[in-house]
Amino acid sequence: AEKKPLRGICLGMQLLFDKSFEYGEHPGLGLVPGQVVDLRRDLTDKTLKVPHMGWNSLQILKDDPLFRHVRDGEYVYYVHSFYARDCAAGTLAASRYGNVDVTSVVRRGNVYGTQFHPEKSGDTGLRLLRAFAEL
């Protein structure tokens, strides 16, 4: 309401969406359109491990002030079994895991979310946090 930026990280990002199917069907906060679904459901290569845990490159899809200190292709750290889907309009970045484009960063107005953990993503994560603090 005061136009201050809000950011959800990992599960915090998932809570921003309309709905989640993690252990049942549950309403989210509805701040970002989309839903959160089980990653296993959409992976065609069933040998890939879930949770998706480890480093993955960030593909920046839309220009945004959040990326002012980060370049396309830099690596960030993930730990998750569910991911946001049906949210293309708000998706700023993604990471490929098998055949799935995992929504990495979303935005709607002053509400941001990152599926990865910036606090575990080394220098790249620190630069993302700095850019968020500068908003």
Side-chain angles (χ1 to χ4, degrees), residues 20-91:
S20 174
F21 291 94
E22 187 167 353
Y23 305 109
E25 184 176 333
H26 308 284
L29 295 172
L31 298 174
V32 177
Q35 56 184 329
V36 177
V37 299
D38 193 331
L39 183 58
R40 285 177 207 87
R41 178 181 115 166
D42 294 332
L43 281 173
T44 55
D45 182 351
K46 301 304 180 189
T47 65
L48 287 173
K49 292 184 179 184
V50 175
H52 170 213
M53 186 181 302
W55 297 91
N56 204 333
S57 63
L58 197 60
Q59 179 188 10
I60 297 172
L61 305 172
K62 297 177 184 170
D63 188 39
D64 192 89
L66 189 64
F67 303 127
R68 71 177 59 139
H69 306 301
V70 176
R71 292 182 315 274
D72 187 60
E74 291 195 57
Y75 280 76
V76 292
Y77 193 82
Y78 287 91
V79 180
H80 68 107
S81 299
F82 290 76
Y83 79 107
R85 225 180 47 181
D86 306 325
C87 54
T91 301

Side-chain angles (χ1 to χ4, degrees), residues 19 47 63 119 124 130 132:
K19 186 186 307 186
T47 65
D63 188 39
E119 77 282 6
T124 301
R130 180 172 47 151
F132 182 74

Side-chain angles (χ1 to χ4, degrees), residues 6 16 18 30-33 89-92 106-113:
L6 169 71
L16 300 174
D18 296 319
L31 298 174
V32 177
T91 301
L92 301 179
V106 294
R107 177 183 180 191
R108 182 175 187 202
N110 63 336
V111 176
Y112 286 84

